[in-house]
Amino acid sequence: MPPDPDQITAFLTSVHPYDALEPTEIEGWAARFKAREFPSDAPIYSLGEPLSGLFLIYRGEVETRDENDVQISILGPRNSFGERGLTRDGIAVTSARALSDTVLLELPKTEFHRLIETEPQAARFFNRNRVPRDSSKDLAAIRVEDLMTRDPRSLPPEATVREAAIVMAEAHISSVCITRGDTLEGITTVRDLSGKVVAFGLPGTTPLVQVMTRDPITLPPRAIGSDVLHMMVEQRIGHVPIVEQGRLIGIVTQTDLTRFQAISSAVLIADLASAKTVEDFAAVTARIPDLLVQLVASGSRHESVIRLITDVADTLTRRLLSMAEARLGPPPVPYLWLACGSQGRQEQTGVSDQDNCLILDDAVTDADMPYFSELAQQVCAGLDACGYVFCPGDMMASNPRWCQPLHVWRSYFQGWIARPDPQAQMLASVMFDLRPIGGASHLFDDLKRDTLEAASRNSIFVAHMIANSLKNAPPRGLLRGLATIRSGEYKNRLDLKHNGVVPIVDLGRIYTLRGQLSSVNTRVRIKDAMATDLLSQSGGRDLLDAYDTIAEMRLEHQARQITAAERPDNYLAPSDLSDFERSHLRDAFVVVKSLQSALGHGRAGLS
């Protein structure tokens, strides 16, 4: 039996974005939906036909396929589909059929457009052209929960002022919260110890309850940073405990505010420039997680975050090169240090190992090689000490294979292109992302141009590279269109790197290879492919939106882990996402899969 209007209304209250509407508005929109029944295996619409409206699954399962008849996704109750066609001249860009007896709620095309025109929540949900986020980096753009120090040091009221002084001295902090259980009763600061204890000659055995500030002013974690600043200025205090439902969960101090306003990539780079030892360098790069959290919390777009983080790695590498030269003396011949992988593409996040190599001038002799071997060892060891761990695949300049004269590098690329076996495909994929970091950049100019030209002319090599790029597929499945890892440490999670970002990186590399483009950054590659008609305008816009969605969720996930004092990774549980976020992530995976399918069938992109 199809649902009646009351049942449709009740259903919409559990579906985003309708659940954000007022009850009377939900009833009004429920009356505009029409229930339609489809038996198992029945077509819902075909590719290229005009769409009559937006479909929302009330009961059952629906399969969508692209124009190459490749499955895109399997959708279940509360999933919408068809909206992409409605925003692209009303023509279906996929086909859809019922996998079981299915009931759909259809919102006619005219009503769908009225929905996104009149309801801001719906416009944000269905508009896949993401609105640029606020990139301001002031305190009004960050929440207290992203600013506070979690699990602050605390003592019971019966503890002594001596115990408080010891805790503050050992932890290098300026306050101790006074709690009974998880309940905040007061706070004692360094100023209290000097003004209330030392000034009046009180003994060290004095209980904290006698000198603490009772019932201090607090804020909830959802307050914003400027609330803290205004409270400190108005009340002339330097510490604000953060309390949620009566429980102490954090504290914000003047030091936290200063650190937030001071930390930036420019500050880190300046500190690296003045640092003298590897230990000093490591102390600077240890602040990169704080930089990532701040940038994400303040709304910076992902392409800015990853670029700024990569700039720090570039500066560190050049400082290590200079330090090595200072120890070893001037290089016997010109050399060029290059980064590949995420650093090469200027796309580093909170999880990065090192991938690098050395190109040496052809005038180098066997007698010169120990110099460059030692230089590479020192730089790679320095990077590892600063958090850029050794590459598991030994793709580093410290490996003699990747520290070679220019003519050897030419032979490498020529061999990979002529004989594209699996290892050659893997190596070529990595090496096509090379970017000069320090040294004689002219050593790479001709090599890059000649290699791209030779590779693009070799259709067999291009075909192998395309096949290799399609091995990493977006995670599609039955769990609201998302397939999670089935076993192991990351069971029931999504790998946002290998199944999210990497497929888009691979697509960008293929476009670059086909067009002999010089860019290495993925976003720039996609834009260059659009500008040279290697990728259609609509396909390119979709791919950029998909990349932004996946990459930003990856960064937000890492920022949450860092804030919770966890080691950042790329594995996200779908249960941590809202319906809104899951829907957009599913749409992003659909776009990537569609463009992979188009590439695999010999077409640049969806038109």
Side-chain angles (χ1 to χ4, degrees), residues 49-303:
E49 75 175 44
L51 282 176
S52 56
L54 169 76
F55 294 99
L56 174 61
I57 302 175
Y58 182 82
R59 183 170 60 246
E61 292 178 347
V62 173
E63 175 193 58
T64 62
R65 289 181 170 267
D66 68 11
E67 55 192 36
N68 299 305
D69 200 32
V70 174
Q71 185 190 86
I72 296 175
S73 60
I74 298 175
L75 308 176
R78 300 167 72 226
N79 281 163
S80 297
F81 63 98
E83 65 268 21
R84 291 184 64 209
L86 293 179
T87 57
R88 297 170 69 175
D89 302 323
I91 303 300
V93 295
T94 63
S95 62
R97 71 182 181 94
L99 290 181
S100 61
D101 291 344
T102 298
V103 175
L104 301 180
L105 303 180
E106 181 182 7
L107 184 65
K109 183 192 307 184
T110 55
E111 297 295 342
F112 171 74
H113 288 298
R114 183 179 302 169
L115 174 68
I116 61 178
E117 288 170 1
T118 60
E119 303 292 354
Q121 299 93 334
R124 286 193 296 270
F125 183 80
F126 290 111
N127 180 13
R128 297 178 53 253
N129 294 316
R130 295 165 64 85
V131 178
R133 300 164 67 189
D134 179 12
S135 61
S136 63
K137 297 175 179 58
D138 59 28
L139 288 169
I142 186 171
R143 290 194 181 278
V144 165
E145 62 187 341
D146 296 318
L147 185 64
M148 69 185 184
T149 298
R150 294 179 179 272
D151 300 321
R153 296 298 181 95
S154 63
L155 289 170
E158 298 79 15
T160 66
V161 293
R162 184 185 301 279
E163 291 177 276
I166 292 173
V167 168
M168 285 188 262
E170 291 181 346
H172 303 288
I173 56 177
S174 57
S175 66
V176 171
C177 292
I178 313 304
T179 59
R180 195 176 297 280
D182 290 335
T183 302
L184 178 70
E185 294 193 0
I187 187 171
T188 296
T189 68
V190 170
R191 188 194 305 180
D192 292 327
L193 295 182
S194 62
K196 297 179 181 179
V197 178
V198 177
F200 291 95
L202 296 180
T205 56
T206 303
L208 288 173
V209 69
Q210 294 183 20
V211 299
M212 71 181 187
T213 300
R214 296 177 179 274
D215 300 322
I217 298 172
T218 66
L219 282 174
R222 288 295 178 178
I224 59 177
S226 57
D227 292 337
V228 180
L229 177 61
H230 296 163
M231 182 175 291
M232 286 182 175
V233 172
E234 180 182 352
Q235 302 295 329
R236 298 183 180 181
I237 56 177
H239 306 78
V240 178
I242 308 304
V243 174
E244 184 173 38
Q245 297 179 346
R247 184 171 61 90
L248 175 69
I249 62 171
I251 191 168
V252 179
T253 68
Q254 288 179 333
T255 301
D256 295 319
L257 297 185
T258 301
R259 184 185 299 116
F260 172 83
Q261 293 174 314
I263 188 170
S264 70
S265 59
V267 170
L268 297 190
I269 288 172
D271 289 347
L272 286 174
S274 61
K276 303 299 183 184
T277 67
V278 172
E279 291 75 17
D280 293 338
F281 294 157
V284 176
T285 56
R287 290 147 56 194
I288 290 177
D290 292 334
L291 174 63
L292 186 149
V293 169
Q294 174 182 313
L295 292 172
V296 171
S298 61
S300 297
R301 290 180 62 86
H302 80 92
E303 63 265 30

Side-chain angles (χ1 to χ4, degrees), residues 542-562:
D542 282 350
L543 188 56
L544 287 172
D545 288 343
Y547 182 40
D548 291 347
T549 297
I550 298 168
E552 287 177 7
M553 286 192 182
R554 180 190 183 197
L555 283 178
E556 289 164 357
H557 166 67
Q558 292 183 1
R560 286 194 297 270
Q561 290 180 307
I562 293 168

Side-chain angles (χ1 to χ4, degrees), residues 361-374:
D361 190 279
D362 279 336
V364 69
T365 66
D366 289 344
D368 298 328
M369 292 305 293
Y371 175 96
F372 293 107
S373 175
E374 182 59 28

Side-chain angles (χ1 to χ4, degrees), residues 263-526:
I263 188 170
S264 70
S265 59
V267 170
L268 297 190
I269 288 172
D271 289 347
L272 286 174
S274 61
K276 303 299 183 184
T277 67
V278 172
E279 291 75 17
D280 293 338
F281 294 157
V284 176
T285 56
R287 290 147 56 194
I288 290 177
D290 292 334
L291 174 63
L292 186 149
V293 169
Q294 174 182 313
L295 292 172
V296 171
S298 61
S300 297
R301 290 180 62 86
H302 80 92
E303 63 265 30
S304 298
V305 177
I306 58 180
R307 173 62 184 272
L308 293 173
I309 290 176
T310 305
D311 286 349
V312 176
D314 290 355
T315 300
L316 171 64
T317 304
R318 287 189 285 268
R319 290 289 290 120
L320 289 169
L321 286 168
S322 297
M323 182 179 292
E325 286 188 22
R327 294 195 189 105
L328 301 173
V333 297
Y335 72 86
L336 178 62
W337 185 282
L338 304 98
C340 46
S342 59
Q343 185 183 0
R345 297 189 305 273
Q346 297 178 298
E347 296 169 1
Q348 287 190 311
T349 67
V351 185
S352 296
D353 58 7
Q354 55 175 294
D355 300 280
N356 45 61
C357 64
L358 269 174
I359 298 178
L360 310 177
D361 190 279
D362 279 336
V364 69
T365 66
D366 289 344
D368 298 328
M369 292 305 293
Y371 175 96
F372 293 107
S373 175
E374 182 59 28
L375 179 140
Q377 293 289 344
Q378 291 187 18
V379 174
C380 289
L383 288 170
D384 180 71
C386 293
Y388 301 93
V389 298
F390 292 127
C391 173
D394 205 17
M395 188 83 64
M396 298 179 294
S398 54
N399 180 344
R401 185 181 185 185
W402 310 123
C403 176
Q404 292 291 333
L406 177 58
H407 72 273
V408 174
W409 279 100
R410 285 190 178 277
S411 68
Y412 284 166
F413 280 102
Q414 289 169 359
W416 296 333
I417 294 169
R419 297 177 297 278
D421 58 32
Q423 185 183 34
Q425 296 168 29
M426 183 273 292
L427 293 173
S429 294
V430 174
M431 293 304 176
F432 275 122
D433 294 347
L434 285 172
R435 182 173 60 88
I437 301 297
S441 59
H442 71 272
L443 292 173
F444 186 57
D445 295 339
D446 291 344
L447 174 62
K448 182 174 185 177
R449 184 190 64 248
D450 296 345
T451 298
L452 284 173
E453 183 179 348
S456 64
R457 289 200 310 263
N458 189 320
S459 59
I460 295 176
F461 175 76
V462 172
H464 277 277
M465 289 291 288
I466 290 174
N468 187 61
S469 73
L470 301 180
K471 291 179 180 178
N472 291 301
R476 302 168 298 111
L478 294 175
L479 182 58
R480 303 208 28 89
L482 301 174
T484 57
I485 298 170
R486 295 184 178 181
S487 61
E489 181 181 0
Y490 300 110
K491 183 180 179 181
N492 297 328
R493 295 177 180 269
L494 300 169
D495 186 343
L496 291 184
K497 178 181 178 181
H498 293 100
N499 298 123
V501 172
V502 168
I504 302 173
V505 169
D506 290 341
L507 286 171
R509 189 181 298 115
I510 295 300
Y511 299 140
T512 295
L513 176 61
R514 280 183 159 179
Q516 300 181 42
L517 306 174
S518 61
S519 50
V520 291
N521 177 266
T522 298
R523 221 173 185 280
V524 176
R525 282 173 164 173
I526 295 170

